[in-house]
Amino acid sequence: MGKVFGLLGHPVGHSMSPNIHNDAFNQIGIEATYHAFDVGLEFVKEAVHGIRALQIAGCNVTVPHKVAVMEYLDEIDEEARLIGAVNTIVNQDGKLIGYNTDGRGFVQSLIEELNEDLKDKRLLLIGAGGAARGVATALMLHGIRHLAITNRTLEKADPIVQLAKTLKTPAKAVDRAQAEKSLDEYDVIINTTSVGMSPNVEEVPLDLGNLKREAVVCDLIYNPLETKLLKLAKKEGATTINGVGMFVNQAALSFEHWNGVTPDRNRMRKIVLEQLGGTTC
């Protein structure tokens, strides 16, 4: 019997992960299968112990379990520790190691799209939740000039600002009005919130009236493929990036952690787009 991999989350019925990982196993010739496991909040501990007991080779972790799984792992990668969440578990001969590939997946998609480095970029992050912390951590580890965070409740941005001090990155929290007023200061704007996600497709997290034309606007949402925020940014002449690249890259990085080989990301992307009902992004 081949290796077994899985996804721990709740709910997981509409996950695209089994499709892209099983296709990658077939493509590369790895004898393995990937399954989505719907794990209730009260069974996280048992599920993680089950990885060991059933000799599952590795797992992805999605909402709402990315933080809860951490206390049951044997080791946590430094980046995952800084983020405070795990999305990838590797079973190394019974030793469970936690990683987080979300932020790195985003940074890769941003660099691919920009085709230039981020060292001199000033970035504005919309949102201060788990996704924002993952993206912010990876950006700061990569190296950026300055990070601003805006959030409906501004105090929630404090942990990211404190983390920035640890990682020696200039950062500040700004309220929405200030962020909108000074929008032309930023090279890259990133929405990490769910504002604009289907079915609330007419919502936008920020007014883009002061956006500079050469800015890049990113939205971690990929359903719809083009949010209202991205449509408005495109009208202003900005470059736009949706969440497909991040999703594909985080999956590919997880695959590399488990198997030591790189899957075909273009193929993964094609499967995701087909499943989302889109052909371009």
Side-chain angles (χ1 to χ4, degrees), residues 140-167:
M140 291 187 288
L141 288 171
H142 178 82
I144 54 173
R145 185 174 163 196
H146 185 271
L147 182 68
I149 308 103
T150 187
N151 193 58
R152 200 169 45 193
T153 312
L154 207 53
E155 301 79 61
K156 287 190 177 170
D158 286 343
I160 298 176
V161 174
Q162 293 307 313
L163 179 62
K165 285 179 184 172
T166 305
L167 296 176

Side-chain angles (χ1 to χ4, degrees), residues 166-266:
T166 305
L167 296 176
K168 297 182 170 50
T169 302
K172 65 178 178 183
V174 292
D175 63 36
R176 179 172 170 159
Q178 180 60 38
E180 290 175 342
K181 188 178 165 188
S182 58
L183 206 59
D184 59 354
E185 292 178 13
Y186 302 105
D187 305 299
V188 183
I189 292 100
I190 306 156
N191 176 39
T192 70
T193 75
S194 59
V195 176
M197 187 184 285
S198 184
N200 305 311
V201 295
E202 289 303 310
E203 294 180 3
V204 289
L206 205 70
D207 185 286
L208 297 179
N210 292 323
L211 186 71
K212 62 179 181 183
R213 283 187 69 84
E214 62 273 26
V216 178
V217 178
C218 313
D219 202 324
L220 303 195
I221 293 169
Y222 48 77
N223 185 15
L225 285 169
E226 190 174 52
T227 58
K228 181 84 176 281
L229 182 76
L230 296 186
K231 283 177 183 169
L232 293 171
K234 199 176 273 183
K235 273 186 187 166
E236 296 292 330
T239 300
T240 60
I241 303 172
N242 65 21
V244 171
M246 175 179 175
F247 178 75
V248 167
N249 286 335
Q250 64 80 25
L253 289 165
S254 293
F255 194 95
E256 286 172 22
H257 277 303
W258 297 325
N259 302 295
V261 290
T262 304
D264 183 340
R265 293 179 195 223
N266 288 332

Side-chain angles (χ1 to χ4, degrees), residues 3-6 8 37 47 50-59 90-91 96:
K3 291 180 178 179
V4 175
F5 295 85
L8 309 181
F37 300 112
I51 296 172
R52 277 196 204 87
L54 300 171
Q55 295 176 34
I56 291 169
C59 279
V90 176
N91 185 348
L96 302 185

